[in-house]
């Protein structure tokens, strides 16, 4: 059984399919992180016309999201969603590796995932299953 770096909600999958459907060449989107913003890091989202073989592929309900290798340790266990509010619409990230966020919500502080804790959790699931 493989481990998914990230999961996505039905709403996120629907929005990814909509974005791909409105593009002539996109196969999905790529999620990454970069340094920036007042909290230190920002999520990046780009269209993918040609997948990178080194990226992790997440698929849900026909939607394809690739995760950049440099972002994997920061995104382990993250759920990608999509929300529409009165003031904005966009992808959301419920990330267990986030330690804080700026007041405007545009940037976050992330720590690498604790691989030992994930391994212990996986071992406990295997024993219980």
């Amino acid at each position: 059984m493989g481990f998914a770096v990230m999961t996505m909600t039905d709403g996120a999958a629907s929005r990814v399919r909509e974005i791909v459907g409105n593009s002539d060449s996109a196969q999905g989107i790529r999620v990454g992180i970069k340094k920036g913003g007042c909290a230190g890091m920002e999520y990046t989202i780009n269209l993918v016309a040609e997948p990178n073989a080194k990226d992790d592929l997440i698929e849900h309900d026909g939607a394809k999201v690739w995760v950049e290798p440099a972002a994997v340790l920061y995104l382990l266990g993250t759920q990608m969603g999509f929300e529409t509010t009165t003031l904005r619409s966009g992808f959301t990230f419920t990330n267990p590796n986030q330690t804080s966020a700026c007041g405007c919500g545009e940037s976050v502080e992330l720590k690498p995932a604790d691989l030992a804790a994930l391994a212990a959790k996986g071992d406990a699931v295997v024993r219980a299953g």
Side-chain angles (χ1 to χ4, degrees):
M1 180 174 151
F3 178 78
V5 171
M6 196 171 74
T7 59
M8 72 179 113
T9 65
D10 293 340
S14 176
R15 181 62 179 139
V16 170
R17 287 192 314 273
E18 184 181 339
I19 290 168
V20 169
N22 290 332
S23 170
D24 292 332
S25 61
Q27 295 182 34
I29 63 172
R30 178 176 289 117
V31 174
I33 56 171
K34 69 177 184 176
K35 291 185 179 197
C38 47
M41 297 181 131
E42 298 173 335
Y43 294 103
T44 62
I45 298 175
N46 296 293
L47 291 175
V48 174
E50 187 66 34
N52 181 336
K54 294 181 180 182
D55 288 351
D56 281 277
L57 174 62
I58 311 303
E59 293 185 81
H60 177 69
D61 201 20
K64 294 181 179 181
V65 174
W66 283 271
V67 179
E68 295 176 355
V72 167
L73 277 178
Y74 295 95
L75 295 177
L76 283 172
T78 297
Q79 182 180 58
M80 185 174 119
F82 184 80
E83 71 175 5
T84 301
T85 67
T86 304
L87 299 175
R88 71 175 285 283
S89 66
F91 289 105
T92 61
F93 296 91
T94 305
N95 187 337
N97 307 304
Q98 180 177 319
T99 57
S100 67
C102 68
C104 65
E106 293 298 318
S107 65
V108 293
E109 183 178 343
L110 300 172
K111 63 177 175 55
D114 182 345
L115 297 179
L118 286 172
K121 182 179 176 183
D123 189 38
V125 170
V126 170
R127 287 184 197 168

